[in-house]
Amino acid sequence: MKSYFNRRGFLKKTSLAAIATTLGSEIVFADKLPRRYLPIALGEKDALKGKNSDMIVQGDKPWNVESPINLLDDRITPVEKMFIRNNGLIPEEVDIKSWTLTIDGESVTAPKTYSLDELKKKFKHYTYQLTLECGGNGRSGYYPAASGNQWGQGAVHCAEWTGVRLKDILKDVGIKNDAVYIGYHGKDLHLSKDPKKEAISRGVPMTKAMEDETIIAWQLNGKDIPEFHGYPLRLVIGGWPASVSGKWLSRISVRNKIHDGAKMEGHSYKMPKNPVPPGTEIPTTDEYFRIIESMPVKSIITFPKTGAVITSTENLPLRGHAWAGDKSVKKVEVSIDFGATWQNCKLEAPVNRLAWQHWNTDIKFPVKGYYEIWVKATDDAGVTQPMVIPSWNPGGYLNNACERIAVKVS
């Protein structure tokens, strides 16, 4: 692992003398080291332990790490290639023996708490492949720049999650007729480390919470969920912004109103109800914004990597994935003439609802030279990806413009 990934963090009980011993050298200008600040050689947590060395670090406080598109070629995304989007700091201690999940809120008949062992024994287990995409995936394409991490197109993955259906748990607890929303609560720490503040606490309407594929998971690709992906328990909701899939899950509140937790306010994970000129500041109220729900139709080319060079006698095999939030994809097409004409691709059905779909085709180029290969998907409602970046918005959300790669034919 490259030393670049051991980024700055905070001191706990470790003294400067102990750090110097660990480094094998005195720290020059140690008296100038900011309080509670670590040398970069000793990160608080090694976020990218077990991650592919080509992952792109967008930020380290909190950790936000992107997958280059070519790393997403697997049908089921392996952990080492999964993007990380954290809003706070991971829990400093995790004791699975004492870890519990509490269901409470205005709209439960009575709060109830389950241990991890009880969850696993009491309810039937399910495994689904689920597409999770950051609402800001593609944010770097907007101009002027929108606030937040400047993601390329790699803040997406489709992995295999195992757990129990949330609706089975809610049925066991008992839900009142006035329930309209759920909100999750995790044990991740606010960046300020103020225990009274939550880093993130988002939710979904009851209709989404009660879907078969909405699960409380403890396994990712057949193993315990890794630390940076929510160990030991995570709410997983496919097809909507990945921010609704709460990590380090300890509580779910069943609400009689739209959940009002952290990152449900302002324009966080919200879109303007009407188009606005780029760079416009608009009031962050419900009158002007709507909460993002189902993600838009989208596709990527995972092979070959952009910049590929082939000979004029070769056919070029292309492949990738496509997804469409709560919907399914009905067609994927590619173009080598900047969208003047399009060629249909072979498209597979999803393994299960809310899993991405795999597509492939072969391309023959007419003459030598530089080409761009564009891809676009169409969902089962007939909505097609735009060829240009969608309307600007303050949060830089929902950029589902056609993906493209460069190819040289020699």
Side-chain angles (χ1 to χ4, degrees):
M1 190 62 63
K2 297 178 181 179
S3 61
Y4 173 75
F5 294 145
N6 293 319
R7 302 294 296 274
R8 58 188 181 273
F10 294 95
L11 298 178
K12 295 178 181 177
K13 296 180 181 179
T14 312
S15 68
L16 285 174
I19 291 176
T21 299
T22 301
L23 292 174
S25 176
E26 289 298 318
I27 303 174
V28 180
F29 301 123
D31 60 321
K32 305 296 193 297
L33 187 67
R35 183 176 176 270
R36 294 174 57 82
Y37 194 77
L38 265 181
I40 60 173
L42 295 170
E44 180 189 37
K45 292 283 186 179
D46 187 357
L48 298 188
K49 183 178 181 181
K51 290 290 184 181
N52 188 286
S53 61
D54 289 334
M55 298 291 280
I56 302 164
V57 177
Q58 291 281 356
D60 65 347
K61 199 177 78 174
W63 281 104
N64 290 280
V65 183
E66 181 176 352
S67 308
I69 293 294
N70 63 290
L71 287 191
L72 296 174
D73 195 40
D74 301 89
R75 298 172 76 85
I76 300 175
T77 312
V79 170
E80 62 266 24
K81 300 176 183 178
M82 290 174 65
F83 81 93
I84 298 172
R85 168 58 172 123
N86 289 342
N87 284 269
L89 306 173
I90 70 169
E92 293 182 346
E93 294 183 5
V94 172
D95 182 359
I96 60 171
K97 292 182 180 179
S98 63
W99 197 279
T100 58
L101 174 66
T102 297
I103 310 296
D104 63 11
E106 306 96 338
S107 297
V108 297
T109 53
K112 193 167 184 177
T113 297
Y114 303 88
S115 68
L116 280 177
D117 192 54
E118 286 173 329
L119 286 175
K120 294 176 182 180
K121 290 181 178 180
K122 188 177 182 68
F123 303 102
K124 183 178 178 180
H125 299 183
Y126 294 88
T127 297
Y128 297 106
Q129 292 178 27
L130 298 170
T131 306
L132 300 187
E133 180 183 13
C134 179
N137 196 25
R139 181 179 286 130
S140 63
Y142 286 107
Y143 182 82
S147 59
N149 294 297
Q150 297 302 300
W151 300 105
Q153 294 290 355
V156 62
H157 54 63
C158 185
E160 194 171 75
W161 301 89
T162 299
V164 297
R165 287 173 172 166
L166 175 58
K167 71 176 185 179
D168 291 344
I169 300 173
L170 297 182
K171 181 180 179 181
D172 185 65
V173 173
I175 303 301
K176 296 178 183 179
N177 291 334
D178 65 352
V180 297
Y181 228 86
I182 64 155
Y184 68 74
H185 306 272
K187 290 191 176 181
D188 43 337
L189 305 173
H190 191 271
L191 293 178
S192 67
K193 294 195 174 181
D194 183 343
K196 296 180 181 179
K197 294 182 178 180
E198 288 188 288
I200 186 170
S201 175
R202 303 202 66 234
V204 297
M206 292 303 297
T207 50
K208 186 65 176 176
M210 300 297 279
E211 289 183 349
D212 287 350
E213 300 83 9
T214 296
I215 63 172
I216 307 297
W218 55 79
Q219 278 194 345
L220 170 58
N221 292 345
K223 297 181 179 180
D224 287 346
I225 297 173
E227 183 178 42
F228 273 82
H229 292 284
Y231 176 81
L233 203 62
R234 182 173 183 177
L235 174 63
V236 185
I237 302 178
W240 286 34
S243 58
V244 300
S245 296
K247 301 177 182 178
W248 307 288
L249 185 69
S250 63
R251 182 161 61 96
I252 290 179
S253 297
V254 184
R255 312 298 309 273
N256 60 8
K257 61 182 181 180
I258 295 175
H259 185 55
D260 53 2
K263 302 292 184 177
M264 292 290 291
E265 72 279 10
H267 67 67
S268 292
Y269 303 102
K270 295 179 182 179
M271 289 286 287
K273 291 182 178 179
N274 298 300
V276 298
T280 302
E281 291 187 14
I282 55 178
T284 55
T285 64
D286 292 344
E287 179 183 356
Y288 295 94
F289 283 90
R290 63 173 178 84
I291 298 171
I292 297 171
E293 294 187 344
S294 180
M295 295 293 285
V297 62
K298 200 166 184 177
S299 58
I300 54 174
I301 300 170
T302 59
F303 182 87
K305 183 178 180 179
T306 190
V309 179
I310 65 169
T311 66
S312 58
T313 59
E314 293 180 87
N315 277 8
L316 179 65
L318 295 174
R319 60 179 178 263
H321 316 294
W323 60 96
D326 284 333
K327 298 180 174 65
S328 62
V329 177
K330 72 172 184 180
K331 181 171 63 174
V332 172
E333 303 164 276
V334 294
S335 174
I336 62 171
D337 55 13
F338 303 103
T341 61
W342 294 88
Q343 171 183 317
N344 283 328
C345 303
K346 179 181 178 182
L347 177 65
E348 298 180 26
V351 170
N352 53 254
R353 183 172 174 270
L354 307 182
W356 63 17
Q357 296 169 240
H358 316 297
W359 63 267
N360 69 83
T361 192
D362 288 322
I363 293 290
K364 178 67 175 178
F365 297 94
V367 296
K368 297 178 181 180
Y370 170 86
Y371 293 87
E372 288 187 7
I373 302 174
W374 293 42
V375 61
K376 68 176 180 179
T378 302
D379 68 23
D380 58 10
V383 177
T384 299
Q385 286 180 257
M387 289 182 61
V388 296
I389 293 173
S391 178
W392 184 91
N393 64 91
Y397 296 119
L398 306 188
N399 178 4
N400 69 328
C402 292
E403 181 65 17
R404 56 182 179 157
I405 64 169
V407 173
K408 182 178 180 181
V409 180
S410 60

